[in-house]
Amino acid sequence: MKILIKNGYVYDPLNKIDGEIMDIAIENGKIVESVSGEVKEIDAKNMIVMPGGVDLHSHIAGSKVNAGRLLRPEDHYKDVEKKTNIKRSGVGYTVPSTFTTGYRYSEMGYTTVMEAATPPLKTRHTHEELNDIPMVDKACLSVLDNNWIVLDYLSKNELEKCAAFIGWILNAIKGYGIKIVNPGGVELWGWGKNVKTIDDQVPPFNITPREIIRGLCKINKMLNLPHTIHLHTNNLGTPGNYRTLIESMKCVSDLSNGSIVLHVTHVQFCGYKGYSWITLSSGASEIAKFVNENKYVTLDLGQIVFGDATTMTADGPFQYILYSLSKNKWINADVEAETSAGIVPYRFKKKNYVNAIQWSIGLELTLLVKDPWRIFLTTDHPNAGLFTSYPKLIAWLMSKKAREKILKKVNKRAKSKMILPTLEREYTFYEIAIITRAGTAKALGLKNKGHLGIGADADVAIYDLNPKEIDPSKDYKKVRRAFRKAAYTIKDGKIVCKNGEVVENISGKTYWVNVDIPKDLLISTISEVKEKFEEYYTVKMENYAIHENELLKSAPLKINSNL
Amino acid sequence: MKTINNVVCSFCGCLCDDIEVNIENNKIVNVKNTCSLGLSKFLNYDKHRILKPRIRKSKEFVNVSLEEAIDECVKILSNASYPIIYGWSNTSNEALRIGMEIAELIGGVIDNTTSVCHGPTIIGVQDIGESTSTLGQVKNRADLIIYWGSNPLHAHPRHLSRYTALSKGRFVKTRKERKIVVVDVRKTATASIADIFIQIKPNSDYELLSALRYAVNNGEIEQNEVAGVPVEKIEELAEMMISCKFGALMFGLGLTMSPGKHRNIEAAIALVTDLNKYTKFVILPMRGHYNVTGANNVTCWTTGYPFAVDFSKGYPYYNPGETTIADIIARGECDAALIVASDPISHLPIESARKLSKIPIVTIDPHETPTTKISKVVIPSSYVGIEYEGTAYRMDGVPLRLKKIVDPPDGIISDEEILKMILSKLRGD
């Protein structure tokens, strides 16, 4: 199918295009210079044209997501999706079923989503669900920091072998990158314990969180992976933890050489000043100052949205703390030799002091970090809010008035401690395009995503907004509505949504990194690991591996390692 | 002779993945590493097979072509106003994924055998959550293992050697380093190898769990005995639970199906949750069929609910007791049934089985069962894990790939392929 999108206001930050009226031509699923012959024309006059949205951190598939679905039948009753001629039925709200997840992302103009944490042992499950999430391309980050074999190697400083093993795992389970979750702390959770600082010892491995983060940062470079290490810091969700965050960012400063080497995820959850929940305040200024001065770090928000959420993370000990505080339902699910997971339903309330502070931290950070290429819009779905809330976040960032409307309703003591009311910055459409697509695609190393240059994947979102007429600062509701329901979503060169409704059900690709590791190193490492593997795990190494034909549409990215 | 290593056994929820199978002329001639149940499956899977599709015409079965059987199945399902689709725990996730689409398309109810085994477990989790882990955590760390209302030596014979009492873990290496407790109404084979056996009065699990919770949280119990167990013994067990480094409570149908049902499970989960204040403790259900856990997972990611899903409203609706097939059959509401990889006639209460026998049943199964005998249409299928590949989930949710090791009999295809044909015809492709 050939498509010509005519006369739209194009926002394509990777190609430095800021609202120019342009035509975008599509052929064979790619952006091309021009098209001729039988062409489907889309009149995008007075509309915004952007690359398809790229979400770099969302929990949409796998064992903990499904446990979250199982845990909350009460959540599903209030949000159902009927079967149509095109769409499969499902349920929505905080943890939507697979088909519904794909449709809802697509309806907002999103075309690529990264499942942000999957335990390698259960990644087959993740891929099964990803196969059932239609409409978007996807991939998954593998939780590797508390893996016993990784820890054994890191503690002996055998980085090459560790890199070869991680390369093998990513190939074997079809993962995309290295996820770190509360390094060391999750291993200690196997005994019901946790770490408190990045220099705590993790017995019996004789290693500290600092050494784990640094080791994996080095390995990430040795493997030449497209995305940096993706860090969920220690002490997440704990008052005073902004110091841990800054320490964690500092600890890889010497490894950067000017390039970006670290992505810290859902920073709102690790931006807390104060010594208790009563004295909690925002650490956004300090974090933003550090990030503005140090160019080697990217962040995503984990922005709180008031209302229901289902918190879920591999950070088992944090979830136990949240259970102890909230007394809500609690699932814990440890995975042998690798990681853990915890799930607790939660409701963020405007009148709650802590929740209001949490809400302000994310927005303060986004407004204080100067470079939009290094801070991205997420809600850590479904932890801080739902991915379907992204249009709300866009409105808050583009409009001080929209923020003030919420500020009138939040806890008064919290408001008195916020710097948010004093922040004047309002994001432009160009900046919104960066934090929702161009920047995230760049951070993930997805070269054909997030832009509309020749040869890019023809993933395009068109929003019914005239940037010359609308003032997002005042008309934030119109902005919100438009981003909720894209006028058109084009995926791989096909019109898949029109006026926010799915018009064609398609399957997306699953990306994974096929890392080229020197044969000798790989063979010697695997023969060394095999015995340990079978001692630590309850499955055979052969059965741990996932075959490419188990992926519905496999899209390997060939990576030449630096090993 | 060909040897295939690391075959996954598709018998029980343990999914042991270290099986060695010797094959000669497309026949399994020898199997190593299995328990007696697995061995029997591998060596006898080709007995009592159904080799031709058949339709009951007047009173007799007549062999028909696969296409004719599929047409008849489609006719039955299309004409039904409230069909049920049931089974799934002995087949692959891939087959169930097609089954989900069929159920949605025809507006039927889809349910799996969880309904009659660990349904209360799931309802318990939905009420209060659970602290759980994969079996390898138990193997590597657990110094206290409690089997409650389950007898793995008979039902899951390699559970103890692969994952618990007799396994060698990183931190706990020998049987001597682990304490094994069995709680049951009678002295089972597993009880006879335990360090402590606690015999409780039948149907009083809830009382004993509540007493244990009280002992763990509050200390001294006033009564002399609870559930037929002397209080000293209850307090001793509570103390063991608090003072272990890593405890695991494994429970079976003795707990899920005794009076109280999901309330029993809630009490057990609550006890384990409380214990996490003092130490690390997890709870794990002993799932029976090899892929009942997979059936729950596929149903859940597709619809939000793990079993008993009604599509008659056009969207997933779930209310166990209302949408569970045993209840639908008992109320006489369904007017056709598609049964895949299951034998409800043998397992449902006799009254429900009688009612089920009054409606047209289509059964897809590799071998003869009481359900195939009363079906209107029978479509033979291949064995997943022996004659066809597919994905299954171990009782702790670890997904494994089942291998094809021999060819199926001529003309026999898999559940997945049969269901695809049915779906395609139903859609009018």
Side-chain angles (χ1 to χ4, degrees):
Chain A
M1 190 188 204
K2 295 180 202 173
I3 300 176
L4 186 64
I5 304 166
K6 289 186 78 172
N7 295 320
Y9 291 103
V10 174
Y11 291 87
D12 180 8
L14 277 165
N15 292 306
K16 299 194 170 54
I17 296 168
D18 183 6
E20 286 174 39
I21 294 179
M22 288 172 73
D23 292 350
I24 301 288
I26 292 168
E27 190 170 353
N28 295 326
K30 296 281 177 190
I31 307 287
V32 292
E33 186 80 51
S34 61
V35 277
S36 57
E38 200 183 319
V39 175
K40 159 86 187 164
E41 284 192 6
I42 294 174
D43 181 9
K45 196 177 173 201
N46 299 330
M47 292 192 193
I48 282 177
V49 179
M50 286 185 182
V54 178
D55 193 344
L56 97 167
H57 187 108
S58 183
H59 300 283
I60 54 169
S63 51
K64 80 177 172 310
V65 177
N66 219 26
R69 290 188 190 106
L70 183 143
L71 184 66
R72 305 205 65 186
E74 75 280 2
D75 201 42
H76 310 320
Y77 293 134
K78 61 190 172 201
D79 185 0
V80 295
E81 287 277 356
K82 269 196 162 186
K83 177 183 157 40
T84 70
N85 287 337
I86 298 160
K87 295 200 290 190
R88 297 281 302 272
S89 69
V91 294
Y93 224 57
T94 65
V95 205
S97 50
T98 45
F99 300 106
T100 302
T101 298
Y103 304 140
R104 288 188 176 179
Y105 261 113
S106 190
E107 285 162 3
M108 296 194 310
Y110 271 72
T111 48
T112 306
V113 186
M114 177 66 67
E115 162 51 53
T118 191
L121 180 63
K122 290 184 171 178
T123 300
R124 180 171 274 117
H125 179 160
T126 310
H127 284 304
E128 281 211 285
E129 288 195 27
L130 291 179
N131 286 344
D132 267 357
I133 294 180
M135 315 303 286
V136 290
D137 289 339
K138 48 249 164 170
C140 56
L141 297 176
S142 304
V143 182
L144 289 162
D145 57 309
N146 289 296
N147 181 296
W148 284 359
I149 293 168
V150 170
L151 289 179
D152 284 342
Y153 274 136
L154 288 181
S155 69
K156 286 188 278 179
N157 206 25
E158 294 184 325
L159 292 189
E160 247 192 12
K161 286 180 182 171
C162 192
F165 175 67
I166 287 180
W168 174 81
I169 280 208
L170 292 173
N171 283 359
I173 62 161
K174 313 293 177 265
Y176 189 80
I178 299 174
K179 177 73 184 286
I180 304 175
V181 180
N182 185 1
V186 168
E187 163 51 27
L188 285 178
W189 178 241
W191 302 115
K193 299 181 176 124
N194 197 358
V195 292
K196 286 207 162 62
T197 77
I198 69 166
D199 292 310
D200 283 10
Q201 276 293 328
V202 182
F205 296 95
N206 188 28
I207 197 166
T208 63
R210 179 191 297 273
E211 288 162 344
I212 299 171
I213 298 167
R214 285 179 60 78
L216 290 174
C217 191
K218 289 176 193 166
I219 285 166
N220 204 87
K221 288 176 109 182
M222 289 162 88
L223 289 171
N224 199 20
L225 295 179
H227 184 37
T228 62
I229 48 168
H230 195 106
L231 173 68
H232 159 139
T233 57
N234 302 106
N235 288 333
L236 181 125
T238 312
N241 65 6
Y242 82 102
R243 284 194 200 89
T244 315
L245 167 63
I246 290 175
E247 279 296 300
S248 305
M249 293 193 287
K250 270 186 192 164
C251 92
V252 293
S253 61
D254 59 319
L255 303 176
S256 104
N257 293 334
S259 59
I260 289 169
V261 292
L262 172 68
H263 177 78
V264 187
T265 191
H266 40 67
V267 278
Q268 170 278 131
F269 280 116
C270 30
Y272 305 158
K273 252 167 92 172
Y275 298 94
S276 69
W277 293 115
I278 296 164
T279 58
L280 185 80
S281 63
S282 167
S285 305
E286 287 82 353
I287 296 164
K289 183 170 183 289
F290 184 92
V291 173
N292 287 335
E293 287 167 3
N294 295 279
K295 312 277 185 213
Y296 62 88
V297 184
T298 55
L299 313 173
D300 71 82
L301 281 185
Q303 173 62 39
I304 297 288
V305 182
F306 296 115
D308 277 337
T310 300
T311 68
M312 55 174 67
T313 162
D315 195 343
F318 167 66
Q319 290 298 77
Y320 183 69
I321 294 169
L322 191 60
Y323 154 71
S324 305
L325 286 169
S326 68
K327 292 292 172 213
N328 288 344
K329 302 191 261 193
W330 170 54
I331 283 184
N332 178 73
D334 295 349
V335 181
E336 65 208 52
E338 289 185 350
T339 185
S340 178
I343 303 162
V344 179
Y346 194 78
R347 187 174 176 81
F348 293 99
K349 297 177 189 141
K350 294 188 190 85
K351 294 292 177 200
N352 177 298
Y353 171 75
V354 171
N355 293 166
I357 292 285
Q358 289 176 311
W359 173 78
S360 73
I361 292 172
L363 294 173
E364 287 170 7
L365 264 169
T366 332
L367 298 168
L368 289 169
V369 168
K370 289 177 190 153
D371 179 4
W373 291 97
R374 292 194 295 113
I375 186 157
F376 310 124
L377 183 147
T378 66
T379 56
D380 188 15
H381 166 85
N383 278 287
L386 318 182
F387 69 80
T388 45
S389 309
Y390 289 174
K392 261 190 201 174
L393 270 65
I394 290 171
W396 287 334
L397 292 173
M398 295 193 87
S399 164
K400 189 166 191 279
K401 191 176 157 196
R403 302 195 287 266
E404 276 167 355
K405 192 158 183 204
I406 304 289
L407 279 166
K408 280 183 195 146
K409 296 177 192 163
V410 302
N411 179 290
K412 286 206 170 62
R413 189 165 75 90
K415 191 180 167 188
S416 70
K417 296 220 170 181
M418 291 175 192
I419 56 163
L420 184 64
T422 67
L423 298 177
E424 301 293 329
R425 183 175 170 191
E426 290 176 328
Y427 268 61
T428 62
F429 285 116
Y430 188 72
E431 288 173 319
I432 292 294
I434 296 171
I435 67 169
T436 57
R437 43 209 84 210
T440 44
K442 189 179 170 201
L444 288 171
L446 288 167
K447 293 200 166 60
N448 295 327
K449 304 285 182 196
H451 71 101
L452 300 172
I454 308 301
D457 289 349
D459 297 350
V460 188
I462 305 175
Y463 299 106
D464 190 3
L465 281 172
N466 183 340
K468 297 292 171 213
E469 281 182 2
I470 191 173
D471 177 358
S473 178
K474 290 189 188 122
D475 296 330
Y476 64 88
K477 283 185 184 169
K478 275 188 191 158
V479 172
R480 204 162 61 199
R481 272 199 297 273
F483 278 95
R484 198 173 283 153
K485 298 270 179 196
Y488 289 90
T489 306
I490 296 166
K491 175 86 198 71
D492 289 333
K494 291 185 184 119
I495 298 170
V496 292
C497 289
K498 208 173 162 186
N499 298 324
E501 295 293 330
V502 174
V503 292
E504 186 177 349
N505 192 347
I506 61 154
S507 306
K509 297 182 279 291
T510 301
Y511 290 101
W512 56 281
V513 289
N514 186 3
V515 189
D516 179 33
I517 302 158
K519 216 173 174 182
D520 292 350
L521 176 66
L522 183 65
I523 291 169
S524 65
T525 306
I526 295 310
S527 67
E528 187 176 292
V529 159
K530 200 163 185 190
E531 207 175 307
K532 268 192 181 180
F533 191 100
E534 296 192 355
E535 185 194 334
Y536 297 163
Y537 285 92
T538 51
V539 301
K540 295 283 180 187
M541 212 163 167
E542 178 195 329
N543 291 326
Y544 187 83
I546 297 165
H547 304 289
E548 201 175 347
N549 65 10
E550 293 180 53
L551 275 51
L552 190 63
K553 277 175 94 174
S554 168
L557 289 185
K558 192 92 186 138
I559 308 289
N560 292 319
S561 76
N562 297 326
L563 283 166
Chain B
M1 193 171 71
K2 191 168 80 173
T3 301
I4 305 179
N5 291 311
N6 301 333
V7 171
V8 180
C9 172
S10 55
F11 186 82
C12 79
C14 282
L15 284 189
C16 301
D17 74 331
D18 58 346
I19 313 301
E20 189 181 312
V21 184
N22 296 326
I23 295 157
E24 215 167 75
N25 298 327
N26 199 43
K27 277 201 82 81
I28 296 173
V29 290
N30 196 17
V31 188
K32 283 186 194 154
N33 296 343
T34 57
C35 66
S36 55
L37 302 170
L39 181 71
S40 178
K41 175 156 184 176
F42 278 111
L43 295 181
N44 298 305
Y45 76 95
D46 55 349
K47 305 214 170 89
H48 312 295
R49 291 295 288 269
I50 307 169
L51 296 170
K52 296 276 180 216
R54 64 191 186 215
I55 298 176
R56 188 181 295 277
K57 293 188 175 166
S58 65
K59 285 200 168 167
E60 295 300 310
F61 274 123
V62 179
N63 286 347
V64 295
S65 67
L66 179 61
E67 286 69 25
E68 205 178 325
I70 300 272
D71 284 346
E72 185 65 20
C73 166
V74 168
K75 203 166 99 189
I76 290 168
L77 294 178
S78 307
N79 290 338
S81 58
Y82 197 52
I84 54 170
I85 304 189
Y86 178 73
W88 310 108
S89 305
N90 274 332
T91 188
S92 67
N93 285 1
E94 288 79 2
L96 175 54
R97 284 169 65 186
I98 313 292
M100 296 304 301
E101 205 167 345
I102 292 175
E104 187 186 68
L105 189 66
I106 61 176
V109 176
I110 190 159
D111 199 0
N112 56 64
T113 57
T114 300
S115 247
V116 293
C117 62
H118 275 277
T121 305
I122 286 170
I123 297 168
V125 173
Q126 289 177 329
D127 280 350
I128 63 165
E130 63 177 339
S131 168
T132 189
S133 73
T134 66
L135 288 158
Q137 284 289 79
V138 180
K139 175 184 100 152
N140 284 306
R141 298 182 199 261
D143 55 348
L144 173 64
I145 291 148
I146 302 169
Y147 284 108
W148 192 306
S150 69
N151 181 14
L153 277 186
H154 284 175
H156 304 88
R158 295 183 74 210
H159 198 266
L160 290 98
S161 60
R162 278 176 63 85
Y163 310 122
T164 66
L166 308 169
S167 65
K168 182 173 173 263
R170 181 166 189 173
F171 297 110
V172 188
K173 295 189 190 309
T174 64
R175 169 70 179 85
K176 278 187 191 156
E177 294 169 57
R178 305 185 200 262
K179 283 270 180 286
I180 310 299
V181 177
V182 167
V183 183
D184 216 316
V185 292
R186 61 178 181 278
K187 189 159 187 181
T188 59
T190 312
S192 61
I193 61 151
D195 297 293
I196 296 176
F197 168 51
I198 294 177
Q199 188 161 11
I200 62 169
K201 272 199 240 163
N203 305 329
S204 53
D205 302 89
Y206 188 87
E207 287 84 340
L208 184 56
L209 286 163
S210 302
L212 272 166
R213 266 193 92 187
Y214 188 83
V216 164
N217 290 311
N218 306 79
E220 223 167 290
I221 300 169
E222 290 299 328
Q223 291 91 323
N224 294 327
E225 58 98 12
V226 177
V229 183
V231 159
E232 296 72 43
K233 221 168 181 178
I234 296 171
E235 286 172 349
E236 183 196 355
L237 179 56
E239 188 49 42
M240 277 173 77
M241 291 170 118
I242 288 171
S243 57
C244 74
K245 282 188 180 152
F246 187 111
L249 173 60
M250 318 276 189
F251 65 98
L253 298 194
L255 192 61
T256 65
M257 285 297 156
S258 68
K261 292 199 168 180
H262 69 277
R263 297 293 181 209
N264 293 343
I265 309 306
E266 279 174 30
I269 293 170
L271 170 65
V272 167
T273 299
D274 289 349
L275 283 159
N276 278 278
K277 279 186 276 189
Y278 309 99
T279 183
K280 186 71 187 238
F281 226 100
V282 295
I283 184 165
L284 279 142
M286 304 286 287
R287 307 303 301 270
H289 293 303
Y290 77 82
N291 196 29
V292 63
T293 309
N296 292 144
N297 272 290
V298 176
T299 312
C300 195
W301 80 57
T302 312
T303 68
Y305 310 112
F307 67 107
V309 179
D310 182 336
F311 283 107
S312 64
K313 298 173 199 286
Y315 58 81
Y317 171 71
Y318 162 85
N319 188 18
E322 182 189 351
T323 57
T324 25
I325 66 118
D327 302 278
I328 292 168
I329 296 167
R331 294 193 301 266
E333 289 174 349
C334 51
D335 53 356
L338 171 63
I339 309 293
V340 183
S342 178
D343 180 19
I345 292 295
S346 300
H347 300 115
L348 288 176
I350 184 72
E351 274 310 309
S352 297
R354 267 197 203 114
K355 283 190 173 161
L356 185 60
S357 69
K358 302 275 191 300
I359 63 171
I361 302 173
V362 180
T363 300
I364 303 174
D365 209 290
H367 66 287
E368 296 284 5
T369 66
T371 304
T372 61
K373 298 250 189 280
I374 62 141
S375 297
K376 170 85 172 155
V377 182
V378 179
I379 307 175
S381 60
S382 56
Y383 265 104
V384 184
I386 295 180
E387 297 163 337
Y388 198 73
E389 63 176 353
T391 305
Y393 287 23
R394 206 167 68 181
M395 58 168 73
D396 57 350
V398 171
L400 286 158
R401 189 76 182 162
L402 308 178
K403 290 178 182 169
K404 176 185 171 173
I405 48 180
V406 293
D407 291 327
D410 282 347
I412 304 289
I413 59 173
S414 67
D415 299 323
E416 186 187 345
E417 292 162 312
I418 296 165
L419 290 160
K420 271 186 185 161
M421 290 173 76
I422 294 171
L423 177 64
S424 173
K425 276 260 163 71
L426 280 167
R427 274 200 200 126
D429 292 348

